[in-house]
Amino acid sequence: MKNLFYLFLAVVVISCNMTLESGDGSIVISEDGIEQRTSEYAIVIHGGAGTIKKENMTPELEQQYNEKLTEAVKAGHIILKNGGDAMDAVEASIRIMEDSPLFNSGKGAVFTHDGINSLDASFMDGKTLNAGAVAGVTTVKNPISLARKVMTDSDHVLLSGAGGDAFAKVLQDPNIEIVPNSYFYTENRYQSLQRVLKREAEKTAQNDKKVAQLELEDPFIKDSKYGTVGCVALDKNGNIAAGTSTGGMTNKKYGRIGDSPIIGSGTYANNATCGVSSTGHGEYFIRAQVAYDISALMEYKNLSLEQATEEVIQKKLVNLGGTGGIVALDHLGNVSMEFNTAGMYRATMNDKDELIVGMYKE
Amino acid sequence: MKNLFYLFLAVVVISCNMTLESGDGSIVISEDGIEQRTSEYAIVIHGGAGTIKKENMTPELEQQYNEKLTEAVKAGHIILKNGGDAMDAVEASIRIMEDSPLFNSGKGAVFTHDGINSLDASFMDGKTLNAGAVAGVTTVKNPISLARKVMTDSDHVLLSGAGGDAFAKVLQDPNIEIVPNSYFYTENRYQSLQRVLKREAEKTAQNDKKVAQLELEDPFIKDSKYGTVGCVALDKNGNIAAGTSTGGMTNKKYGRIGDSPIIGSGTYANNATCGVSSTGHGEYFIRAQVAYDISALMEYKNLSLEQATEEVIQKKLVNLGGTGGIVALDHLGNVSMEFNTAGMYRATMNDKDELIVGMYKE
């Protein structure tokens, strides 16, 4: 019943453009002219954007998403409430989504063309502008934790392929659990790949291109490009952290890397401006520099978080032909959940324990 | 003699901050208030930044660098002069540097920890904001041409590892020559790796860290982090293109990917603002979003190319602790070659056939 209540709340509260400002929705200026936070701390998560429509959803599945999004956002929120670090909150929330087969990350990741699961993740600390990321790892249960370790325990930002797995092994950290690739198998995602491969073979047979036509959209679930999880948090000390984790595209080939492990495209955090985690058709998010561009618009053009996210997701990205969305929050605790697809799995909580969970546009 | 003349010219002409504006150095405003180009077309290249000092250089080596930089910049320049496309100019110039063992890209690439050569490149079209890149390919003679093919012949932006090599093979394009990894071997770079490995072993023996201390700086040449080649061109139609190609860091491990194949960090191009190619300590260039940030400062804060490149390379990057440089040009034909290291191999030509070649700071 509690979960159904949250779902009801989500449908009622969230307006069309999906931007929420916590508290009374405006920046408070104190008597001495200093901007005050609308929320002392805040967290926002997404579980992917795409053609998420109520008519395609069963009540049971709706409830499962609702419960898991609530569990994930609360896991980070309690850390922030207790005065913990934004980075710990981001990692905790994302790990819960990675461990759930509902999302295209960790357990539940989509399959590559070669029938394996290959995972990407990135992590950024808005205080130091330090960052870490992995692309194409296949044996790490929680890639978000490995991305954080790349940031703290290596001189590098981005490790790839078997190298990422080797680094994970060397760490010998109980938090970085090594699993066989078969751990990531889910029947659902495997059948998705089979449908896509079938359609690809049909298309390629009709095609005389030298490079085989890559079929990337699952004709059944229609959102094989979009499932990704992410989180942004602001802690009581004013530190912002952001992270993103994904299995990429169903049927991805040729070692394709999307935007999720790319700092500035999939993930960005800067205490001076905002934190952002992206989800969508990654190639467009790279070309449009989505995550950093939101920060740049705030820093250089003095746009609000709401204005900056709307400009990038509804205008610049649309002009390029890109679909997807972001979750973001600024240094004042304002939250944005902006997307140009039919839906985006998302949730947010503020310092008043207010929880919002959403899936659809309206 | 001609080459010595160019070298002399370089030393005389290039001022300390290394920013060159072609023509009379200022933007020309016509009577109707429209900005006019200072050069109808222009090209600028780099061959890496680092501790390049006259006292470490022999006259013979100086001449070799001078000749090769001149050959590379002229190869692109003649294409632009004949009305050709900026993308063709960028590819032609970079291929010449990739084929030369003087630079850390293609033939002459540094060795990874595992004793192979692993190549990264990226390419961007400022007209469409389309982009392509490869990371960690090991069998493609000219990675810059493969990056361009990823842009034009795939739905993706970034392909990695063996997947990039597989894509190259499928193309069956005479312009994408497949070579054994041994093609990239040079004695010089191999000895660099041996020296670095020796120093790493010594350091690791003194160290109790779980993750072995990675030794990345060659104690002899001191610039193992910095060798990379890149090019930016503006053609007569006002189109800007940019590209970057590298062998990465000597002794790189764990599938490390630097900034060179990352759009927005290593390479960026946008007809509305500028094109940029980076060279330096890649991790910092990713965290600082160097290439896109220069464009954002021009677009959002109306900075000139000179102001934007100086802001990013001399202030923002320095504040993070990052070393390296960029070459860039804007839509008006102004050129910038900005670096915060002792030197950067570089050259530029404009529509008056003026050639400048430089290596050192002063």
Side-chain angles (χ1 to χ4, degrees):
Chain A
M1 274 314 289
K2 207 169 122 197
N3 292 315
L4 283 174
F5 167 72
Y6 287 135
L7 195 64
F8 174 70
L9 191 72
V11 174
V12 171
V13 171
I14 297 178
S15 67
C16 248
N17 72 2
M18 295 301 156
T19 299
L20 163 82
E21 291 187 326
S22 17
D24 64 355
S26 61
I27 293 168
V28 181
I29 311 284
S30 68
E31 281 176 22
D32 54 7
I34 295 169
E35 288 183 331
Q36 301 220 321
R37 297 200 200 167
T38 54
S39 185
E40 197 193 356
Y41 56 92
I43 184 165
V44 60
I45 65 172
H46 68 77
T51 48
I52 302 160
K53 290 183 175 172
K54 197 163 179 67
E55 57 263 37
N56 301 334
M57 195 67 82
T58 62
E60 293 72 26
L61 198 57
E62 207 169 51
Q63 188 177 335
Q64 281 177 38
Y65 274 109
N66 183 61
E67 282 177 13
K68 195 51 78 174
L69 288 165
T70 302
E71 181 191 343
V73 77
K74 282 189 167 179
H77 182 263
I78 190 70
I79 291 172
L80 300 172
K81 190 174 183 172
N82 291 337
D85 193 279
M87 291 190 283
D88 292 334
V90 167
E91 186 179 351
S93 288
I94 291 180
R95 282 176 70 106
I96 287 171
M97 292 187 281
E98 284 179 337
D99 290 346
S100 162
L102 289 172
F103 306 102
N104 175 16
S105 69
K107 178 82 180 172
V110 298
F111 282 80
T112 69
H113 180 79
D114 297 326
I116 63 160
N117 307 97
S118 171
L119 312 162
D120 306 336
S122 60
F123 198 95
M124 190 157 180
D125 172 10
K127 185 182 176 186
T128 60
L129 302 184
N130 207 348
V134 289
V137 297
T138 59
T139 63
V140 177
K141 189 181 171 210
N142 294 104
I144 194 67
S145 298
L146 183 59
R148 188 177 175 180
K149 276 285 178 188
V150 171
M151 178 177 92
T152 54
D153 285 31
S154 88
D155 296 325
H156 301 310
V157 169
L158 176 54
L159 302 182
S160 66
D165 290 300
F167 177 73
K169 223 171 162 182
V170 168
L171 288 169
Q172 297 186 321
D173 183 326
N175 198 41
I176 311 291
E177 200 177 327
I178 310 294
V179 294
N181 194 250
S182 58
Y183 161 80
F184 301 105
Y185 180 93
T186 53
E187 181 64 20
N188 236 358
R189 301 294 193 188
Y190 187 73
Q191 291 307 328
S192 270
L193 175 66
Q194 302 316 311
R195 283 193 299 272
V196 171
L197 284 175
K198 190 170 167 235
R199 212 166 81 164
E200 178 176 286
E202 286 162 11
K203 268 202 182 176
T204 303
Q206 299 159 4
N207 198 309
D208 60 355
K209 262 184 164 180
K210 265 187 203 157
V211 179
Q213 182 78 35
L214 262 188
E215 183 58 46
L216 294 160
E217 194 179 274
D218 183 329
F220 187 67
I221 63 165
K222 288 189 184 130
D223 63 354
S224 57
K225 285 198 201 81
Y226 304 109
T228 291
V229 306
C231 178
V232 189
L234 167 72
D235 66 27
K236 289 182 179 176
N237 292 318
N239 291 320
I240 296 173
T244 308
S245 180
T246 191
M249 283 180 171
T250 298
N251 195 31
K252 69 182 176 185
K253 214 170 166 176
Y254 300 132
R256 176 258 186 186
I257 297 177
D259 66 315
S260 299
I262 308 294
I263 298 302
S265 300
T267 299
Y268 189 74
N270 186 336
N271 281 3
T273 52
C274 64
V276 182
S277 171
S278 306
T279 173
H281 193 161
E283 278 70 10
Y284 294 93
F285 279 67
I286 295 175
R287 293 166 56 198
Q289 302 284 302
V290 165
Y292 179 66
D293 202 26
I294 291 167
S295 173
L297 282 165
M298 292 179 69
E299 186 177 354
Y300 301 148
K301 282 190 88 174
N302 289 316
L303 296 198
S304 70
L305 180 76
E306 182 182 349
Q307 291 167 328
T309 55
E310 194 187 336
E311 173 75 18
V312 172
I313 300 300
Q314 307 299 356
K315 292 181 194 166
K316 295 182 84 166
L317 193 60
V318 167
N319 288 344
L320 271 183
T323 49
I326 53 90
V327 295
L329 52 74
D330 68 14
H331 61 294
L332 300 171
N334 297 302
V335 168
S336 172
M337 302 182 283
E338 191 80 37
F339 54 93
N340 61 29
T341 46
M344 180 169 78
Y345 299 114
R346 61 200 183 278
T348 182
M349 282 184 84
N350 61 17
D351 64 358
K352 291 162 203 74
D353 290 348
E354 288 165 346
L355 166 73
I356 293 175
V357 182
M359 297 180 200
Y360 317 117
K361 199 157 205 165
E362 291 167 319
Chain B
M1 275 313 288
K2 207 170 119 194
N3 291 316
L4 283 175
F5 167 73
Y6 287 135
L7 195 64
F8 174 70
L9 191 72
V11 173
V12 171
V13 172
I14 297 179
S15 68
C16 249
N17 72 2
M18 295 299 155
T19 298
L20 163 81
E21 290 188 330
S22 17
D24 65 353
S26 61
I27 294 168
V28 181
I29 310 285
S30 67
E31 281 176 21
D32 56 5
I34 295 169
E35 287 182 333
Q36 301 220 322
R37 296 199 202 168
T38 54
S39 185
E40 197 194 356
Y41 57 90
I43 184 165
V44 60
I45 64 172
H46 68 78
T51 49
I52 302 160
K53 289 182 176 175
K54 199 163 177 65
E55 58 262 37
N56 300 335
M57 194 68 81
T58 63
E60 293 72 26
L61 197 57
E62 208 169 51
Q63 188 177 333
Q64 282 177 38
Y65 274 108
N66 183 62
E67 281 177 15
K68 194 50 78 176
L69 289 166
T70 302
E71 182 191 342
V73 77
K74 282 190 167 179
H77 182 264
I78 190 70
I79 291 172
L80 300 172
K81 190 174 183 171
N82 291 337
D85 193 279
M87 290 190 284
D88 293 334
V90 166
E91 186 178 351
S93 288
I94 290 180
R95 282 177 70 105
I96 287 171
M97 292 187 282
E98 284 179 336
D99 291 346
S100 162
L102 289 172
F103 307 102
N104 175 16
S105 69
K107 179 83 181 173
V110 298
F111 282 81
T112 69
H113 181 80
D114 297 327
I116 64 160
N117 307 96
S118 171
L119 312 162
D120 305 337
S122 60
F123 197 95
M124 189 158 181
D125 172 10
K127 185 182 176 185
T128 60
L129 301 185
N130 208 348
V134 288
V137 297
T138 58
T139 63
V140 177
K141 190 181 172 209
N142 294 105
I144 194 66
S145 298
L146 183 59
R148 188 176 175 182
K149 277 286 178 188
V150 171
M151 179 178 90
T152 54
D153 285 32
S154 88
D155 297 324
H156 301 310
V157 169
L158 176 54
L159 302 182
S160 66
D165 291 299
F167 177 73
K169 224 171 162 184
V170 168
L171 289 169
Q172 298 186 321
D173 183 324
N175 197 41
I176 310 290
E177 201 178 324
I178 310 294
V179 294
N181 194 251
S182 59
Y183 160 81
F184 300 105
Y185 181 93
T186 53
E187 182 63 21
N188 237 358
R189 301 294 192 187
Y190 187 72
Q191 291 308 327
S192 270
L193 175 65
Q194 302 316 311
R195 283 193 299 274
V196 171
L197 285 175
K198 190 170 167 236
R199 212 167 78 164
E200 177 176 284
E202 287 162 11
K203 267 202 182 175
T204 303
Q206 299 159 4
N207 198 308
D208 60 355
K209 261 185 164 181
K210 263 189 206 156
V211 179
Q213 182 79 33
L214 263 189
E215 182 59 45
L216 294 160
E217 193 180 273
D218 183 329
F220 186 65
I221 63 166
K222 287 189 184 133
D223 63 355
S224 56
K225 285 198 200 79
Y226 304 109
T228 290
V229 306
C231 178
V232 189
L234 166 74
D235 66 27
K236 288 182 180 176
N237 292 318
N239 291 321
I240 296 173
T244 308
S245 181
T246 191
M249 286 180 170
T250 300
N251 194 32
K252 71 182 174 185
K253 214 170 166 175
Y254 301 131
R256 176 258 185 187
I257 297 177
D259 66 317
S260 298
I262 307 294
I263 298 302
S265 300
T267 298
Y268 189 74
N270 186 336
N271 281 2
T273 52
C274 64
V276 181
S277 171
S278 306
T279 173
H281 193 160
E283 277 71 11
Y284 293 92
F285 279 67
I286 294 176
R287 292 167 55 197
Q289 302 284 303
V290 165
Y292 179 66
D293 202 26
I294 291 167
S295 173
L297 282 165
M298 292 179 70
E299 186 177 353
Y300 301 147
K301 283 190 87 176
N302 290 315
L303 295 198
S304 70
L305 180 75
E306 182 182 350
Q307 290 168 327
T309 55
E310 194 187 336
E311 173 74 19
V312 172
I313 300 301
Q314 307 299 354
K315 292 180 193 165
K316 294 182 83 166
L317 193 60
V318 167
N319 288 344
L320 271 184
T323 49
I326 53 91
V327 295
L329 53 74
D330 68 14
H331 62 294
L332 299 171
N334 297 302
V335 168
S336 173
M337 302 183 282
E338 190 80 36
F339 54 95
N340 62 29
T341 46
M344 179 170 79
Y345 298 114
R346 62 200 181 277
T348 182
M349 282 186 84
N350 61 17
D351 63 359
K352 289 162 206 74
D353 290 348
E354 288 166 346
L355 166 73
I356 293 175
V357 181
M359 296 179 201
Y360 316 118
K361 199 157 206 165
E362 292 166 319

